[in-house]
Amino acid sequence: QIEAIVDKARELVRKHLELESEVESFWAHIHNKGESTDMHDHGYSDFACIYYVATPEGCGNLLFHPNPWETPGIPYQPQESVLVVFPSWLKHSVSRNKSEDKRISVSFNLKSTGPAKAPILVVIASLVPLVRSTSWMTIPGEAVLITIS
């Protein structure tokens, strides 16, 4: 199933940005009660990808920080079986897991092997607009693409 998730992320990047990509790194996160992840970015990669395996109620949000000096960040409530792909330069964090159950996600970075049209955030789910200067393109039943300028 992991290969199918990676293939889906690569397909979205290929289809909507017209570039090929390859996996640069791969890892899993298991957040127990009380655990969180500090603000960070993914540096030298082009796209950061998160697939949610287990998201019990109260497990914490993925927080985007388009302006890292403003807190607490723009929340996205994770949902099981949802893939999130966003520009690797976009700072993000994960709020504290308040659930008794584990929050589990699989993450990987994609490096493009060709030029991208623009940095994007791809979410297979609905999101509130992240910043004022966004444009939306909905792919019915597949994804919502948000271009951040």
Side-chain angles (χ1 to χ4, degrees), residues 50-62:
I50 306 169
Y51 179 78
Y52 293 100
V53 177
T55 58
E57 188 172 337
C59 70
N61 290 327
L62 172 62

Side-chain angles (χ1 to χ4, degrees), residues 91-107:
K91 297 234 184 255
H92 56 285
S93 60
V94 178
S95 60
R96 194 163 314 285
N97 180 2
K98 295 178 183 174
S99 170
E100 295 295 328
D101 298 316
K102 292 175 175 25
R103 169 193 166 125
I104 303 172
S105 61
V106 175
S107 299

Side-chain angles (χ1 to χ4, degrees), residues 112-125:
S112 66
T113 56
K117 289 181 182 176
I120 61 160
L121 170 67
V122 179
V123 181
I124 304 176

Side-chain angles (χ1 to χ4, degrees), residues 16-32:
H16 300 289
L17 295 178
E18 298 176 4
L19 68 113
E20 295 297 324
S21 60
E22 58 188 33
V23 174
E24 189 172 56
S25 53
F26 197 96
W27 64 98
H29 275 276
I30 299 175
H31 281 124
N32 294 303

Side-chain angles (χ1 to χ4, degrees), residues 76-147:
Y76 168 71
Q77 184 176 352
Q79 300 171 35
E80 285 184 23
S81 302
V82 169
L83 171 67
V84 179
V85 181
F86 55 95
S88 63
W89 53 260
L90 182 59
K91 297 234 184 255
H92 56 285
S93 60
V94 178
S95 60
R96 194 163 314 285
N97 180 2
K98 295 178 183 174
S99 170
E100 295 295 328
D101 298 316
K102 292 175 175 25
R103 169 193 166 125
I104 303 172
S105 61
V106 175
S107 299
F108 53 98
N109 290 326
L110 294 178
K111 186 78 171 170
S112 66
T113 56
K117 289 181 182 176
I120 61 160
L121 170 67
V122 179
V123 181
I124 304 176
S126 296
L127 276 181
V128 295
L130 289 180
V131 289
R132 281 189 287 269
S133 56
T134 61
S135 61
W136 291 71
M137 177 174 71
T138 302
I139 306 157
E142 186 177 354
V144 175
L145 303 184
I146 305 168
T147 302

